[in-house]
Amino acid sequence: RVPQDGVTKICHVIDHSAPLMVWAVRMAMAKLKKIMMERGFTVPYLAAGEDYSFQPTLFEEILDGIITEAKKADREALESAGEVGHVAHKWVEDYVTALINDTTDRRLELLANFPLDERAANCCIAFCTWMAAHNVRWLATERKVYSLKHGVAGTMDGLARVDSCDDPLCCPTSFKDRLSIIDHKTSNYIYIEYLLQTAMYQQAHEEETGEVIQDRWINRYGKEDAEFESWHAEGRDAFEDDLAA
C-alpha cells in the first residue's frame, strides 16, 4: 500500500514555463484587444472626412473587469484544447477496441460518426490515415502498466504490430510486423519527454510480459489540418537512452 509514481507526473518535471509564459501574454493581449473592439472602446481605422474626436469614457472599474477577463484567455484556450484532445482520444480508443474485438458494426458506426467538433474530427482522420499507411494491427489499448523495478505506473495508449510505410522520411528502411508501443498526442508540438514517457511504458510492459518491444511511435494528430506527425523510435539503443534519461 505504498503510493507509486505516475509516468506522466514524473515527465512533468521538465519545465515548459518560458515559452508558455510568452504564449499566455500573447493570448491575454489578443483577447484584451478583441474585447475593447467588440464593446466599442476602439475603432479599426479613421476614414477620410470622419471625426472620431469623441470617445466613450472607459471607467477604471470597467477597465479592471476587462483586464480580469483577458487574463483568463490562456486557461480558456488550454481547456478548449484539452476537451478536443479528450474527445479525439476517446473516439480513437473506441475505434481500436472495435478493431481488437472484431466488431464490424461498431467500427462502421464510429466511422460514420466522427466527433462533432471539427478539430477533434481532424485528429481522428489523421489517426486513421497513419493507421492505414502502416497496416497497423492492434493488440491492446489503454493498457495499465507497472514497473516493479522502478516503482512507477502508467497507461499505455496502444500496443500493435506495425509495418513500414512508403515515405522514406518516416520509415527509411522497410520492415514488417514490428511489435510497437503507440502513443497518441493532440498537442501542437511533440515534446522530448514523450520519448521518456514511452520508454518507461516499454520497460514496464517488458517486465510484466517478457515480450520485447521493437519500436515506439509517438503520433501527433493535427487539429487544424488532419495530418499526422510521427516520432518513430527504433531499436534497443534508442530505448536504453530514453529510459536512462
Side-chain angles (χ1 to χ4, degrees), residues 29-73:
M29 293 302 101
K31 184 165 184 178
L32 179 63
K33 178 179 178 180
K34 182 173 181 287
I35 293 171
M36 296 287 285
M37 295 188 71
E38 286 178 346
R39 298 184 186 177
F41 294 112
T42 62
V43 292
Y45 59 87
L46 181 61
E50 293 183 322
D51 180 13
Y52 282 100
S53 58
F54 170 77
Q55 291 291 323
T57 301
L58 180 60
F59 293 105
E60 183 177 359
E61 183 179 358
I62 297 175
L63 178 60
D64 287 342
I66 292 174
I67 292 172
T68 299
E69 190 174 344
K71 284 180 178 178
K72 301 175 184 177

mmCIF file of all heavy atoms in Angstrom, residues 29-73:
data_model
loop_
_atom_site.group_PDB
_atom_site.id
_atom_site.type_symbol
_atom_site.label_atom_id
_atom_site.label_comp_id
_atom_site.label_asym_id
_atom_site.label_seq_id
_atom_site.Cartn_x
_atom_site.Cartn_y
_atom_site.Cartn_z
ATOM 1 N N MET A 29 -3.296 39.510 -24.387
ATOM 2 C CA MET A 29 -3.337 40.781 -25.108
ATOM 3 C C MET A 29 -4.277 40.715 -26.309
ATOM 4 O O MET A 29 -4.985 41.680 -26.617
ATOM 5 C CB MET A 29 -1.920 41.166 -25.561
ATOM 6 C CG MET A 29 -0.961 41.501 -24.424
ATOM 7 S SD MET A 29 -1.558 42.876 -23.380
ATOM 8 C CE MET A 29 -2.218 41.967 -21.962
ATOM 9 N N ALA A 30 -4.307 39.573 -26.975
ATOM 10 C CA ALA A 30 -5.211 39.416 -28.119
ATOM 11 C C ALA A 30 -6.667 39.469 -27.664
ATOM 12 O O ALA A 30 -7.516 40.093 -28.313
ATOM 13 C CB ALA A 30 -4.923 38.091 -28.828
ATOM 14 N N LYS A 31 -6.948 38.853 -26.522
ATOM 15 C CA LYS A 31 -8.313 38.891 -26.019
ATOM 16 C C LYS A 31 -8.675 40.290 -25.525
ATOM 17 O O LYS A 31 -9.804 40.741 -25.705
ATOM 18 C CB LYS A 31 -8.490 37.876 -24.884
ATOM 19 C CG LYS A 31 -9.930 37.822 -24.390
ATOM 20 C CD LYS A 31 -10.220 36.613 -23.543
ATOM 21 C CE LYS A 31 -11.693 36.562 -23.175
ATOM 22 N NZ LYS A 31 -12.033 35.369 -22.371
ATOM 23 N N LEU A 32 -7.718 40.990 -24.916
ATOM 24 C CA LEU A 32 -7.958 42.362 -24.464
ATOM 25 C C LEU A 32 -8.359 43.245 -25.645
ATOM 26 O O LEU A 32 -9.331 44.004 -25.573
ATOM 27 C CB LEU A 32 -6.703 42.907 -23.780
ATOM 28 C CG LEU A 32 -6.760 44.345 -23.265
ATOM 29 C CD1 LEU A 32 -7.819 44.493 -22.185
ATOM 30 C CD2 LEU A 32 -5.407 44.784 -22.733
ATOM 31 N N LYS A 33 -7.609 43.120 -26.745
ATOM 32 C CA LYS A 33 -7.915 43.901 -27.939
ATOM 33 C C LYS A 33 -9.300 43.543 -28.482
ATOM 34 O O LYS A 33 -10.092 44.427 -28.859
ATOM 35 C CB LYS A 33 -6.849 43.661 -29.008
ATOM 36 C CG LYS A 33 -7.108 44.408 -30.307
ATOM 37 C CD LYS A 33 -6.010 44.141 -31.320
ATOM 38 C CE LYS A 33 -6.292 44.853 -32.639
ATOM 39 N NZ LYS A 33 -5.234 44.599 -33.648
ATOM 40 N N LYS A 34 -9.611 42.254 -28.506
ATOM 41 C CA LYS A 34 -10.899 41.788 -29.029
ATOM 42 C C LYS A 34 -12.057 42.362 -28.203
ATOM 43 O O LYS A 34 -13.049 42.852 -28.757
ATOM 44 C CB LYS A 34 -10.924 40.258 -29.002
ATOM 45 C CG LYS A 34 -12.193 39.622 -29.578
ATOM 46 C CD LYS A 34 -12.007 38.104 -29.658
ATOM 47 C CE LYS A 34 -13.239 37.427 -30.252
ATOM 48 N NZ LYS A 34 -14.371 37.402 -29.313
ATOM 49 N N ILE A 35 -11.922 42.316 -26.878
ATOM 50 C CA ILE A 35 -12.986 42.831 -26.003
ATOM 51 C C ILE A 35 -13.160 44.339 -26.203
ATOM 52 O O ILE A 35 -14.291 44.842 -26.314
ATOM 53 C CB ILE A 35 -12.662 42.522 -24.530
ATOM 54 C CG1 ILE A 35 -12.712 41.014 -24.267
ATOM 55 C CG2 ILE A 35 -13.644 43.232 -23.600
ATOM 56 C CD1 ILE A 35 -12.198 40.611 -22.905
ATOM 57 N N MET A 36 -12.046 45.054 -26.271
ATOM 58 C CA MET A 36 -12.107 46.518 -26.422
ATOM 59 C C MET A 36 -12.810 46.904 -27.718
ATOM 60 O O MET A 36 -13.607 47.849 -27.757
ATOM 61 C CB MET A 36 -10.703 47.104 -26.385
ATOM 62 C CG MET A 36 -9.971 46.915 -25.059
ATOM 63 S SD MET A 36 -10.600 47.962 -23.736
ATOM 64 C CE MET A 36 -9.916 49.538 -24.208
ATOM 65 N N MET A 37 -12.531 46.155 -28.793
ATOM 66 C CA MET A 37 -13.138 46.478 -30.076
ATOM 67 C C MET A 37 -14.603 46.072 -30.112
ATOM 68 O O MET A 37 -15.453 46.809 -30.619
ATOM 69 C CB MET A 37 -12.355 45.806 -31.214
ATOM 70 C CG MET A 37 -10.933 46.322 -31.352
ATOM 71 S SD MET A 37 -10.079 45.694 -32.818
ATOM 72 C CE MET A 37 -10.953 46.570 -34.116
ATOM 73 N N GLU A 38 -14.930 44.912 -29.541
ATOM 74 C CA GLU A 38 -16.316 44.444 -29.555
ATOM 75 C C GLU A 38 -17.231 45.361 -28.743
ATOM 76 O O GLU A 38 -18.408 45.515 -29.083
ATOM 77 C CB GLU A 38 -16.385 43.022 -29.009
ATOM 78 C CG GLU A 38 -15.855 41.968 -29.980
ATOM 79 C CD GLU A 38 -15.892 40.572 -29.391
ATOM 80 O OE1 GLU A 38 -16.078 40.432 -28.157
ATOM 81 O OE2 GLU A 38 -15.729 39.605 -30.161
ATOM 82 N N ARG A 39 -16.703 45.966 -27.715
ATOM 83 C CA ARG A 39 -17.529 46.811 -26.839
ATOM 84 C C ARG A 39 -17.471 48.297 -27.204
ATOM 85 O O ARG A 39 -17.952 49.147 -26.479
ATOM 86 C CB ARG A 39 -17.122 46.585 -25.380
ATOM 87 C CG ARG A 39 -17.349 45.140 -24.954
ATOM 88 C CD ARG A 39 -17.048 44.890 -23.505
ATOM 89 N NE ARG A 39 -17.158 43.466 -23.213
ATOM 90 C CZ ARG A 39 -16.885 42.918 -22.023
ATOM 91 N NH1 ARG A 39 -16.508 43.703 -21.010
ATOM 92 N NH2 ARG A 39 -17.008 41.629 -21.842
ATOM 93 N N GLY A 40 -16.845 48.591 -28.332
ATOM 94 C CA GLY A 40 -16.908 49.932 -28.869
ATOM 95 C C GLY A 40 -15.961 50.944 -28.247
ATOM 96 O O GLY A 40 -16.155 52.152 -28.398
ATOM 97 N N PHE A 41 -14.908 50.473 -27.570
ATOM 98 C CA PHE A 41 -13.950 51.395 -26.975
ATOM 99 C C PHE A 41 -12.839 51.782 -27.945
ATOM 100 O O PHE A 41 -12.032 52.660 -27.665
ATOM 101 C CB PHE A 41 -13.343 50.791 -25.700
ATOM 102 C CG PHE A 41 -14.346 50.602 -24.593
ATOM 103 C CD1 PHE A 41 -14.724 49.331 -24.195
ATOM 104 C CD2 PHE A 41 -14.939 51.694 -23.974
ATOM 105 C CE1 PHE A 41 -15.656 49.153 -23.180
ATOM 106 C CE2 PHE A 41 -15.869 51.521 -22.955
ATOM 107 C CZ PHE A 41 -16.230 50.252 -22.565
ATOM 108 N N THR A 42 -12.774 51.109 -29.087
ATOM 109 C CA THR A 42 -11.775 51.426 -30.107
ATOM 110 C C THR A 42 -12.446 51.357 -31.467
ATOM 111 O O THR A 42 -13.520 50.775 -31.627
ATOM 112 C CB THR A 42 -10.588 50.447 -30.084
ATOM 113 O OG1 THR A 42 -11.073 49.133 -30.380
ATOM 114 C CG2 THR A 42 -9.902 50.438 -28.724
ATOM 115 N N VAL A 43 -11.789 51.931 -32.480
ATOM 116 C CA VAL A 43 -12.240 51.818 -33.864
ATOM 117 C C VAL A 43 -11.087 51.291 -34.700
ATOM 118 O O VAL A 43 -9.920 51.560 -34.406
ATOM 119 C CB VAL A 43 -12.709 53.182 -34.421
ATOM 120 C CG1 VAL A 43 -13.978 53.624 -33.722
ATOM 121 C CG2 VAL A 43 -11.625 54.237 -34.273
ATOM 122 N N PRO A 44 -11.389 50.489 -35.739
ATOM 123 C CA PRO A 44 -10.306 49.872 -36.503
ATOM 124 C C PRO A 44 -9.502 50.862 -37.349
ATOM 125 O O PRO A 44 -8.317 50.671 -37.577
ATOM 126 C CB PRO A 44 -11.038 48.855 -37.396
ATOM 127 C CG PRO A 44 -12.441 49.379 -37.487
ATOM 128 C CD PRO A 44 -12.708 50.051 -36.181
ATOM 129 N N TYR A 45 -10.139 51.948 -37.824
ATOM 130 C CA TYR A 45 -9.425 52.921 -38.657
ATOM 131 C C TYR A 45 -10.257 54.202 -38.682
ATOM 132 O O TYR A 45 -11.430 54.232 -38.303
ATOM 133 C CB TYR A 45 -9.209 52.383 -40.074
ATOM 134 C CG TYR A 45 -10.495 52.035 -40.785
ATOM 135 C CD1 TYR A 45 -11.213 52.998 -41.509
ATOM 136 C CD2 TYR A 45 -10.999 50.735 -40.728
ATOM 137 C CE1 TYR A 45 -12.394 52.678 -42.140
ATOM 138 C CE2 TYR A 45 -12.195 50.416 -41.365
ATOM 139 C CZ TYR A 45 -12.888 51.386 -42.071
ATOM 140 O OH TYR A 45 -14.054 51.068 -42.695
ATOM 141 N N LEU A 46 -9.639 55.270 -39.171
ATOM 142 C CA LEU A 46 -10.312 56.565 -39.317
ATOM 143 C C LEU A 46 -10.452 56.856 -40.809
ATOM 144 O O LEU A 46 -9.460 57.095 -41.500
ATOM 145 C CB LEU A 46 -9.499 57.681 -38.633
ATOM 146 C CG LEU A 46 -10.094 59.091 -38.698
ATOM 147 C CD1 LEU A 46 -11.448 59.129 -38.004
ATOM 148 C CD2 LEU A 46 -9.144 60.097 -38.052
ATOM 149 N N ALA A 47 -11.687 56.785 -41.290
ATOM 150 C CA ALA A 47 -11.922 57.031 -42.706
ATOM 151 C C ALA A 47 -11.815 58.518 -43.017
ATOM 152 O O ALA A 47 -11.987 59.369 -42.144
ATOM 153 C CB ALA A 47 -13.305 56.506 -43.097
ATOM 154 N N ALA A 48 -11.546 58.821 -44.281
ATOM 155 C CA ALA A 48 -11.402 60.212 -44.692
ATOM 156 C C ALA A 48 -12.676 60.990 -44.427
ATOM 157 O O ALA A 48 -13.774 60.558 -44.798
ATOM 158 C CB ALA A 48 -11.040 60.280 -46.182
ATOM 159 N N GLY A 49 -12.552 62.138 -43.777
ATOM 160 C CA GLY A 49 -13.688 63.002 -43.511
ATOM 161 C C GLY A 49 -14.477 62.642 -42.268
ATOM 162 O O GLY A 49 -15.395 63.368 -41.884
ATOM 163 N N GLU A 50 -14.139 61.515 -41.599
ATOM 164 C CA GLU A 50 -14.863 61.119 -40.397
ATOM 165 C C GLU A 50 -14.168 61.674 -39.162
ATOM 166 O O GLU A 50 -12.937 61.813 -39.128
ATOM 167 C CB GLU A 50 -14.963 59.585 -40.303
ATOM 168 C CG GLU A 50 -15.838 58.987 -41.402
ATOM 169 C CD GLU A 50 -15.984 57.479 -41.238
ATOM 170 O OE1 GLU A 50 -14.990 56.847 -40.858
ATOM 171 O OE2 GLU A 50 -17.072 56.960 -41.514
ATOM 172 N N ASP A 51 -14.951 61.986 -38.163
ATOM 173 C CA ASP A 51 -14.407 62.583 -36.939
ATOM 174 C C ASP A 51 -14.673 61.652 -35.765
ATOM 175 O O ASP A 51 -15.825 61.399 -35.403
ATOM 176 C CB ASP A 51 -15.067 63.947 -36.689
ATOM 177 C CG ASP A 51 -14.523 64.608 -35.426
ATOM 178 O OD1 ASP A 51 -13.494 64.126 -34.917
ATOM 179 O OD2 ASP A 51 -15.144 65.577 -34.959
ATOM 180 N N TYR A 52 -13.595 61.116 -35.198
ATOM 181 C CA TYR A 52 -13.697 60.274 -34.020
ATOM 182 C C TYR A 52 -13.057 60.966 -32.822
ATOM 183 O O TYR A 52 -12.446 60.342 -31.965
ATOM 184 C CB TYR A 52 -13.017 58.909 -34.249
ATOM 185 C CG TYR A 52 -13.863 57.963 -35.063
ATOM 186 C CD1 TYR A 52 -13.612 57.782 -36.416
ATOM 187 C CD2 TYR A 52 -14.908 57.261 -34.475
ATOM 188 C CE1 TYR A 52 -14.387 56.906 -37.175
ATOM 189 C CE2 TYR A 52 -15.690 56.390 -35.228
ATOM 190 C CZ TYR A 52 -15.434 56.217 -36.578
ATOM 191 O OH TYR A 52 -16.202 55.358 -37.314
ATOM 192 N N SER A 53 -13.200 62.284 -32.780
ATOM 193 C CA SER A 53 -12.615 63.029 -31.663
ATOM 194 C C SER A 53 -13.305 62.678 -30.346
ATOM 195 O O SER A 53 -12.710 62.765 -29.279
ATOM 196 C CB SER A 53 -12.715 64.529 -31.915
ATOM 197 O OG SER A 53 -14.077 64.917 -32.105
ATOM 198 N N PHE A 54 -14.580 62.268 -30.433
ATOM 199 C CA PHE A 54 -15.276 61.859 -29.215
ATOM 200 C C PHE A 54 -15.128 60.352 -29.021
ATOM 201 O O PHE A 54 -15.371 59.574 -29.925
ATOM 202 C CB PHE A 54 -16.763 62.217 -29.297
ATOM 203 C CG PHE A 54 -17.574 61.611 -28.182
ATOM 204 C CD1 PHE A 54 -17.530 62.157 -26.905
ATOM 205 C CD2 PHE A 54 -18.349 60.490 -28.405
ATOM 206 C CE1 PHE A 54 -18.254 61.586 -25.876
ATOM 207 C CE2 PHE A 54 -19.089 59.924 -27.368
ATOM 208 C CZ PHE A 54 -19.034 60.478 -26.096
ATOM 209 N N GLN A 55 -14.681 59.965 -27.851
ATOM 210 C CA GLN A 55 -14.573 58.562 -27.490
ATOM 211 C C GLN A 55 -15.335 58.317 -26.196
ATOM 212 O O GLN A 55 -15.305 59.149 -25.293
ATOM 213 C CB GLN A 55 -13.101 58.165 -27.293
ATOM 214 C CG GLN A 55 -12.281 58.152 -28.572
ATOM 215 C CD GLN A 55 -12.709 57.030 -29.502
ATOM 216 O OE1 GLN A 55 -13.040 55.942 -29.055
ATOM 217 N NE2 GLN A 55 -12.737 57.314 -30.798
ATOM 218 N N PRO A 56 -16.023 57.189 -26.100
ATOM 219 C CA PRO A 56 -16.725 56.894 -24.851
ATOM 220 C C PRO A 56 -15.741 56.761 -23.701
ATOM 221 O O PRO A 56 -14.630 56.274 -23.866
ATOM 222 C CB PRO A 56 -17.436 55.568 -25.142
ATOM 223 C CG PRO A 56 -16.673 54.959 -26.274
ATOM 224 C CD PRO A 56 -16.170 56.110 -27.094
ATOM 225 N N THR A 57 -16.157 57.211 -22.527
ATOM 226 C CA THR A 57 -15.301 57.142 -21.349
ATOM 227 C C THR A 57 -15.212 55.705 -20.850
ATOM 228 O O THR A 57 -16.214 55.009 -20.730
ATOM 229 C CB THR A 57 -15.854 58.029 -20.224
ATOM 230 O OG1 THR A 57 -15.938 59.361 -20.698
ATOM 231 C CG2 THR A 57 -14.962 57.975 -18.998
ATOM 232 N N LEU A 58 -13.991 55.269 -20.569
ATOM 233 C CA LEU A 58 -13.764 53.936 -20.018
ATOM 234 C C LEU A 58 -13.397 54.090 -18.549
ATOM 235 O O LEU A 58 -12.286 54.480 -18.207
ATOM 236 C CB LEU A 58 -12.628 53.223 -20.778
ATOM 237 C CG LEU A 58 -12.279 51.807 -20.315
ATOM 238 C CD1 LEU A 58 -13.490 50.881 -20.457
ATOM 239 C CD2 LEU A 58 -11.112 51.259 -21.138
ATOM 240 N N PHE A 59 -14.359 53.830 -17.673
ATOM 241 C CA PHE A 59 -14.100 53.965 -16.255
ATOM 242 C C PHE A 59 -13.118 52.890 -15.792
ATOM 243 O O PHE A 59 -13.068 51.787 -16.338
ATOM 244 C CB PHE A 59 -15.408 53.869 -15.464
ATOM 245 C CG PHE A 59 -16.343 55.016 -15.714
ATOM 246 C CD1 PHE A 59 -17.476 54.857 -16.511
ATOM 247 C CD2 PHE A 59 -16.091 56.275 -15.168
ATOM 248 C CE1 PHE A 59 -18.335 55.914 -16.749
ATOM 249 C CE2 PHE A 59 -16.953 57.338 -15.410
ATOM 250 C CZ PHE A 59 -18.078 57.164 -16.197
ATOM 251 N N GLU A 60 -12.367 53.244 -14.768
ATOM 252 C CA GLU A 60 -11.331 52.340 -14.279
ATOM 253 C C GLU A 60 -11.911 50.988 -13.864
ATOM 254 O O GLU A 60 -11.309 49.936 -14.122
ATOM 255 C CB GLU A 60 -10.598 52.972 -13.091
ATOM 256 C CG GLU A 60 -9.437 52.117 -12.574
ATOM 257 C CD GLU A 60 -8.691 52.797 -11.438
ATOM 258 O OE1 GLU A 60 -9.054 53.922 -11.061
ATOM 259 O OE2 GLU A 60 -7.751 52.169 -10.933
ATOM 260 N N GLU A 61 -13.098 51.005 -13.262
ATOM 261 C CA GLU A 61 -13.709 49.755 -12.814
ATOM 262 C C GLU A 61 -14.017 48.839 -13.995
ATOM 263 O O GLU A 61 -13.824 47.616 -13.927
ATOM 264 C CB GLU A 61 -14.998 50.064 -12.049
ATOM 265 C CG GLU A 61 -15.683 48.816 -11.473
ATOM 266 C CD GLU A 61 -16.937 49.167 -10.701
ATOM 267 O OE1 GLU A 61 -17.263 50.357 -10.575
ATOM 268 O OE2 GLU A 61 -17.605 48.220 -10.230
ATOM 269 N N ILE A 62 -14.489 49.473 -15.112
ATOM 270 C CA ILE A 62 -14.767 48.678 -16.313
ATOM 271 C C ILE A 62 -13.473 48.121 -16.893
ATOM 272 O O ILE A 62 -13.401 46.955 -17.301
ATOM 273 C CB ILE A 62 -15.505 49.533 -17.360
ATOM 274 C CG1 ILE A 62 -16.875 49.967 -16.811
ATOM 275 C CG2 ILE A 62 -15.676 48.758 -18.671
ATOM 276 C CD1 ILE A 62 -17.625 50.907 -17.724
ATOM 277 N N LEU A 63 -12.433 48.945 -16.929
ATOM 278 C CA LEU A 63 -11.142 48.501 -17.443
ATOM 279 C C LEU A 63 -10.593 47.347 -16.615
ATOM 280 O O LEU A 63 -10.063 46.367 -17.160
ATOM 281 C CB LEU A 63 -10.145 49.666 -17.443
ATOM 282 C CG LEU A 63 -8.720 49.327 -17.917
ATOM 283 C CD1 LEU A 63 -8.747 48.797 -19.345
ATOM 284 C CD2 LEU A 63 -7.815 50.543 -17.811
ATOM 285 N N ASP A 64 -10.717 47.442 -15.295
ATOM 286 C CA ASP A 64 -10.251 46.354 -14.428
ATOM 287 C C ASP A 64 -10.983 45.051 -14.758
ATOM 288 O O ASP A 64 -10.382 43.971 -14.779
ATOM 289 C CB ASP A 64 -10.474 46.712 -12.956
ATOM 290 C CG ASP A 64 -9.506 47.778 -12.459
ATOM 291 O OD1 ASP A 64 -8.474 47.985 -13.122
ATOM 292 O OD2 ASP A 64 -9.787 48.398 -11.413
ATOM 293 N N GLY A 65 -12.284 45.162 -15.020
ATOM 294 C CA GLY A 65 -13.062 43.977 -15.373
ATOM 295 C C GLY A 65 -12.619 43.375 -16.689
ATOM 296 O O GLY A 65 -12.528 42.147 -16.826
ATOM 297 N N ILE A 66 -12.325 44.239 -17.676
ATOM 298 C CA ILE A 66 -11.855 43.759 -18.980
ATOM 299 C C ILE A 66 -10.508 43.058 -18.836
ATOM 300 O O ILE A 66 -10.270 41.990 -19.413
ATOM 301 C CB ILE A 66 -11.761 44.929 -19.969
ATOM 302 C CG1 ILE A 66 -13.168 45.449 -20.311
ATOM 303 C CG2 ILE A 66 -11.031 44.505 -21.246
ATOM 304 C CD1 ILE A 66 -13.164 46.698 -21.159
ATOM 305 N N ILE A 67 -9.597 43.643 -18.056
ATOM 306 C CA ILE A 67 -8.278 43.039 -17.840
ATOM 307 C C ILE A 67 -8.422 41.681 -17.153
ATOM 308 O O ILE A 67 -7.754 40.703 -17.531
ATOM 309 C CB ILE A 67 -7.386 43.982 -17.013
ATOM 310 C CG1 ILE A 67 -7.034 45.228 -17.833
ATOM 311 C CG2 ILE A 67 -6.111 43.268 -16.563
ATOM 312 C CD1 ILE A 67 -6.319 46.299 -17.039
ATOM 313 N N THR A 68 -9.292 41.608 -16.146
ATOM 314 C CA THR A 68 -9.526 40.338 -15.448
ATOM 315 C C THR A 68 -10.035 39.280 -16.416
ATOM 316 O O THR A 68 -9.610 38.119 -16.383
ATOM 317 C CB THR A 68 -10.549 40.534 -14.311
ATOM 318 O OG1 THR A 68 -10.018 41.475 -13.370
ATOM 319 C CG2 THR A 68 -10.836 39.214 -13.601
ATOM 320 N N GLU A 69 -10.935 39.677 -17.305
ATOM 321 C CA GLU A 69 -11.477 38.739 -18.295
ATOM 322 C C GLU A 69 -10.394 38.298 -19.275
ATOM 323 O O GLU A 69 -10.315 37.118 -19.643
ATOM 324 C CB GLU A 69 -12.639 39.401 -19.033
ATOM 325 C CG GLU A 69 -13.424 38.450 -19.912
ATOM 326 C CD GLU A 69 -14.663 39.101 -20.512
ATOM 327 O OE1 GLU A 69 -15.078 40.171 -20.019
ATOM 328 O OE2 GLU A 69 -15.195 38.548 -21.489
ATOM 329 N N ALA A 70 -9.554 39.232 -19.692
ATOM 330 C CA ALA A 70 -8.495 38.919 -20.654
ATOM 331 C C ALA A 70 -7.465 37.964 -20.062
ATOM 332 O O ALA A 70 -6.876 37.145 -20.773
ATOM 333 C CB ALA A 70 -7.815 40.202 -21.128
ATOM 334 N N LYS A 71 -7.239 38.062 -18.753
ATOM 335 C CA LYS A 71 -6.246 37.201 -18.096
ATOM 336 C C LYS A 71 -6.627 35.722 -18.172
ATOM 337 O O LYS A 71 -5.773 34.848 -18.001
ATOM 338 C CB LYS A 71 -6.096 37.600 -16.627
ATOM 339 C CG LYS A 71 -5.290 38.872 -16.400
ATOM 340 C CD LYS A 71 -5.208 39.188 -14.910
ATOM 341 C CE LYS A 71 -4.374 40.432 -14.645
ATOM 342 N NZ LYS A 71 -4.324 40.770 -13.201
ATOM 343 N N LYS A 72 -7.895 35.432 -18.420
ATOM 344 C CA LYS A 72 -8.352 34.043 -18.470
ATOM 345 C C LYS A 72 -8.128 33.409 -19.833
ATOM 346 O O LYS A 72 -8.424 32.220 -20.018
ATOM 347 C CB LYS A 72 -9.851 33.989 -18.149
ATOM 348 C CG LYS A 72 -10.237 34.548 -16.790
ATOM 349 C CD LYS A 72 -11.762 34.549 -16.632
ATOM 350 C CE LYS A 72 -12.197 35.194 -15.332
ATOM 351 N NZ LYS A 72 -13.682 35.263 -15.221
ATOM 352 N N ALA A 73 -7.624 34.174 -20.786
ATOM 353 C CA ALA A 73 -7.552 33.687 -22.169
ATOM 354 C C ALA A 73 -6.728 32.421 -22.303
ATOM 355 O O ALA A 73 -7.110 31.489 -23.017
ATOM 356 C CB ALA A 73 -6.987 34.782 -23.080
#
